[in-house]
Amino acid sequence: MTQARPLSLITGASAGIGSAFARALAAQGHDVVLTARRTDRLESLAAELRASHGIQATVLTSDLADPHAAEQLCATLDQRGLKVDWLINNAGYGVPGRFEASDWATHADFLRVLVTAPTELAWRLIGSMRERGYGRIVNVASLAGHVPGSAGHTLYAASKAYMIKFSQSLALENQTTGIHVCALCPGFTRSEFHDVTGTRPLVNKMPGFMWQSAEDVVQEGIKAVERGDAVYVTGRFNRTVKSVFKLMPDKMALRMSAKQSRRYRTQD
């Protein structure tokens, strides 16, 4: 079967950056496959995109904390004859508090959603992209992956640093294949993320210039992956932060990170 339009698979599509990616790519004429845990939200978004853009929107409810989720998603796509051109690895969340404050099952689920599942989806889909000589993979990382780790939310920055390095290597491996891979690194983004982690009262104290909308992040991300940028930090403020920390001695950078993280991380 030949697809008339590009097809984008978007994880974590029910809200925030994920739904913004779905809307932006549908507006560009992409068919979309939307996946997340909340079926009602996905169905509502799918109906909106079909009505607004006349594209095909497929809902595949999935919990990427399930060790078999990525394999099952790709098997369903194969059964339906759907070939993914754009993979948006966006699903993610934070686990607040100290490392030992949560049980291991909580951390294991987190690692599957933010590290294992996006890596496996890329592995399962990139072969078909190479056969067709075209593909785009956006791994939604974070500015947190470029700066020293913080106390609290212990695995978050570590998982995002992994996605940055993974994206760089995958981009290099595919320089001549027609596949572009980009680690997209936003900073503070207006979404439900901080409501879910319980840090909304803290982050609401942050000045407005530190924030971006999900729509702005996505527009920068689409341009970056099309250019072939292996890593892209969104927003001038975030790029300045990255540069400042890169120039600092490690001990000074860690002290500054410790001081600043108390403003927006739950550490107890």
Side-chain angles (χ1 to χ4, degrees):
M1 184 180 76
T2 302
Q3 293 175 177
R5 293 180 290 263
L7 178 67
S8 294
L9 169 62
I10 303 145
T11 72
S14 60
I17 291 174
S19 60
F21 259 114
R23 290 187 174 97
L25 292 170
Q28 292 186 7
H30 289 219
D31 290 337
V32 295
V33 177
L34 310 174
T35 186
R37 294 178 300 171
R38 295 178 287 190
T39 305
D40 56 341
R41 288 201 177 192
L42 294 177
E43 292 288 4
S44 177
L45 178 58
E48 172 197 326
L49 299 180
R50 294 182 196 112
S52 298
H53 304 293
I55 54 91
Q56 295 295 319
T58 302
V59 169
L60 296 178
T61 305
S62 180
D63 183 355
L64 294 179
D66 181 340
H68 304 292
E71 181 181 9
Q72 291 169 350
L73 272 173
C74 293
T76 300
L77 293 170
D78 285 343
Q79 290 166 4
R80 300 187 183 191
L82 297 174
K83 303 294 184 183
V84 173
D85 299 295
W86 283 58
L87 169 62
I88 311 296
N89 275 319
N90 165 74
Y93 60 97
V95 177
R98 299 187 317 275
F99 184 55
E100 78 277 11
S102 297
D103 60 26
W104 178 246
T106 297
H107 291 313
D109 284 351
F110 174 91
L111 290 169
R112 279 193 289 267
V113 173
L114 275 85
V115 176
T116 306
T119 307
E120 183 177 352
L121 284 170
W123 179 79
R124 290 186 177 279
L125 295 172
I126 200 166
S128 178
M129 292 179 180
R130 288 176 70 101
E131 288 175 2
R132 300 192 307 279
Y134 177 83
R136 301 289 184 265
I137 299 174
V138 178
N139 294 318
V140 179
S142 173
L143 175 64
H146 290 284
V147 301
S150 64
H153 297 243
T154 320
L155 297 178
Y156 186 79
S159 70
K160 297 305 186 180
Y162 167 84
M163 292 307 294
I164 291 167
K165 295 301 183 184
F166 169 59
S167 300
Q168 289 174 324
S169 294
L170 200 59
L172 289 173
E173 290 176 9
N174 287 279
Q175 283 182 314
T176 62
T177 65
I179 299 169
H180 296 178
V181 182
C182 179
L184 180 63
C185 303
F188 288 104
T189 305
R190 296 183 184 92
S191 70
E192 295 180 353
F193 179 89
H194 300 288
D195 299 303
V196 174
T197 61
T199 55
R200 177 61 62 191
L202 288 173
V203 299
N204 278 349
K205 299 175 183 178
M206 309 298 285
F209 67 83
M210 295 179 64
W211 292 86
Q212 284 187 290
S213 69
E215 291 74 18
D216 286 345
V217 167
V218 165
Q219 288 303 322
E220 289 190 51
I222 290 173
K223 292 176 182 177
V225 73
E226 288 284 42
R227 282 195 305 266
D229 294 347
V231 179
Y232 184 79
V233 178
T234 68
R236 183 177 300 174
F237 172 78
N238 296 322
R239 291 190 288 273
T240 300
V241 170
K242 177 195 171 187
S243 298
V244 168
F245 272 101
K246 188 174 182 180
L247 294 171
M248 280 185 187
D250 289 347
K251 287 185 178 180
M252 182 184 295
L254 194 59
R255 284 197 299 271
M256 181 173 285
S257 179
K259 179 180 179 181
Q260 294 299 319
S261 66
R262 285 193 290 271
R263 301 172 65 187
Y264 54 86
R265 290 281 189 257
T266 302
Q267 300 178 24
D268 297 325

